[in-house]
Amino acid sequence: MAGPSRILVPVDLKDGSRSVVNYALQLARPFGATVDVLHAWEPPQYVAPDLLVASPGWDANSLEAMARDSAGKEMEALLRSVDGTAPVALSHRVVIGEAGNVVLEEAERGKYDLIVMGTHQRKGLTRMLLGSVAQKVVGRAACPVLTLHVSPE
């Protein structure tokens, strides 16, 4: 069995994202694999993503545009903080949609060999209310999925 050549790394841009990206980079180096970091922003259920948000002195922007811009800045900051000691082809993007579905669609569309993602291992009511993106991806992905337990950084 050959090693991975394309690794998808979904991140929530919160607790543990840097450690998940660093792990994926370490895994990619020996195989010469590429790493694509993905963040999915899900619009709030009861607010239209095209809702205009404005404040005095600012141009009105849609909630989606503001979220995409903010997530893009957070993604760039995250990638500046990762271990860049050995070169790995690294790309990133922010996509709008439900995280589990976005990851599964991107994995299939991009023909990835491996998905590396974090899991917060939430329990009880929190898990029931928030669901588990990792569980959904593990259960439905066509390629192997490596989950890493992440803790706050």
Side-chain angles (χ1 to χ4, degrees):
M1 175 181 239
S5 62
R6 300 198 66 204
I7 301 173
L8 180 63
V9 185
V11 295
D12 62 5
L13 299 175
K14 294 181 183 143
D15 301 338
S17 292
R18 183 172 2 112
S19 62
V20 172
V21 174
N22 279 332
Y23 193 94
L25 290 172
Q26 290 174 11
L27 187 61
R29 284 186 185 110
F31 298 108
T34 62
V35 173
D36 295 328
V37 182
L38 173 72
H39 173 70
W41 178 76
E42 185 174 356
Q45 286 184 319
Y46 302 106
V47 178
D50 58 349
L51 172 76
L52 293 180
V53 179
S55 64
W58 288 19
D59 292 331
N61 285 317
S62 71
L63 180 61
E64 182 177 317
M66 289 183 70
R68 188 183 295 269
D69 183 54
S70 176
K73 289 176 183 174
E74 287 181 56
M75 177 76 82
E76 289 172 10
L78 168 68
L79 295 180
R80 280 193 302 272
S81 73
V82 299
D83 178 18
T85 55
V88 170
L90 180 66
S91 67
H92 67 281
R93 64 188 168 285
V94 175
V95 180
I96 306 301
E98 189 276 319
N101 289 336
V102 165
V103 172
L104 291 165
E105 290 166 6
E106 290 290 321
E108 189 162 322
R109 183 179 310 119
K111 297 184 178 19
Y112 288 91
D113 304 300
L114 178 65
I115 300 170
V116 176
M117 63 188 304
T119 178
H120 298 283
Q121 298 197 356
R122 294 182 177 101
K123 306 258 187 251
L125 184 61
T126 306
R127 181 175 179 159
M128 186 175 78
L129 294 174
L130 297 176
S132 173
V133 174
Q135 182 179 14
K136 182 175 190 174
V137 172
V138 167
R140 294 181 38 205
C143 66
V145 180
L146 173 63
T147 60
L148 305 170
H149 175 66
V150 295
S151 55
E153 294 178 335

